[in-house]
Amino acid sequence: MTEVNPQQVSAPKADETAPAKAHAATAKPSGGGGLRLGRIGEIPHIGLVLALVILGAVGLVTVPDAFATSSNMVSILALAATIGVITVGATFVIIGGGIDLSVGAVMALASVWATTLATQAYGPWVMMICAVLVGTGAGLLNGFLISYGRMVPFIATLAMLVAARGLAQRMSDRKTQLVGPDNQLIVDLSTTRVLGLPLLVYIFAVVVIIGWLILNRTTFGRRTYAVGGNPEAARLAGINVRRHTMMLYALSGFCCGIAAILIMARTTTGSSTHGDLYELDAIAAVIIGGTLLTGGRGTIVGAILGLLIFTVITNLFILNGLNTSDQLIAKGLIIVAAVLLQRRSLNAST
């Protein structure tokens, strides 16, 4: 009887399976909404574009004199700019397998902190830097609690939502803080126009372009897809998953800081009420754009198209004098439909 060498039937070593898992972790993800990505790039989201066209047609039929005007188009873009910057950060977090419920409250806290009399005394540049630092700091704290504190993202960011909103109320004494006349540079971001568009729209466009480049053309972007798709495989591939997750939340907070500057420019104020329900609008826009809530798949372009759909819907409700509660119901139905379509697409692919 032949004697069997135990070494011949032993389980494969970890370093023998790591290359296969590493390949899976760095594989090119597929795009959201059933669309395929080429080298983590986006093919035009035909369905979302079609939805925008339909909404435009509804606007032309229902309120032709008010909808198809240059001033209304600028209003839509200006409204989309603030939430849009937040949406870019939220896209990174959700693709990375997380969720951030605190974005609206962090933006409010950054706006309040930047408009205190002590901060305004140093001038507009210090105010803007303060807003960005406060947002980034809150994001880092979120990421630290989630990555190293082992907290569930939903709980950690929910706690930040409550704490940031409360701190903003305490700092402002529940009062609206006006941007002083010596800091007109911030207000100019909303009032100064180039080629008919306010500067804040260009800031929004720059954030979107930089976000797209980071997500699709850098190692950071590829690692984000890998961490969201399979954290364990990403770890075996040599990615520091904890550190990367913390950086994703810091990026989301950084975007909240920029959004705080834009909301200060638009309203000339800092207030603890800024950003109410912005987290829902941002997350909904990301979902509508085809990003999976489970992570690992999504696009910046899809998220921005989803945002524009919600913004146009809001604009149409306002122009038609419809009830705000009906608008919220419509948004809720759209979110449910998008999630159901995602699940159907996933079931079909498996």
Side-chain angles (χ1 to χ4, degrees), residues 211-225:
W212 186 92
L213 290 173
I214 292 174
L215 189 61
N216 296 287
R217 295 292 183 265
T218 67
T219 302
F220 184 88
R222 289 190 290 273
R223 288 178 177 177
T224 300
Y225 281 108

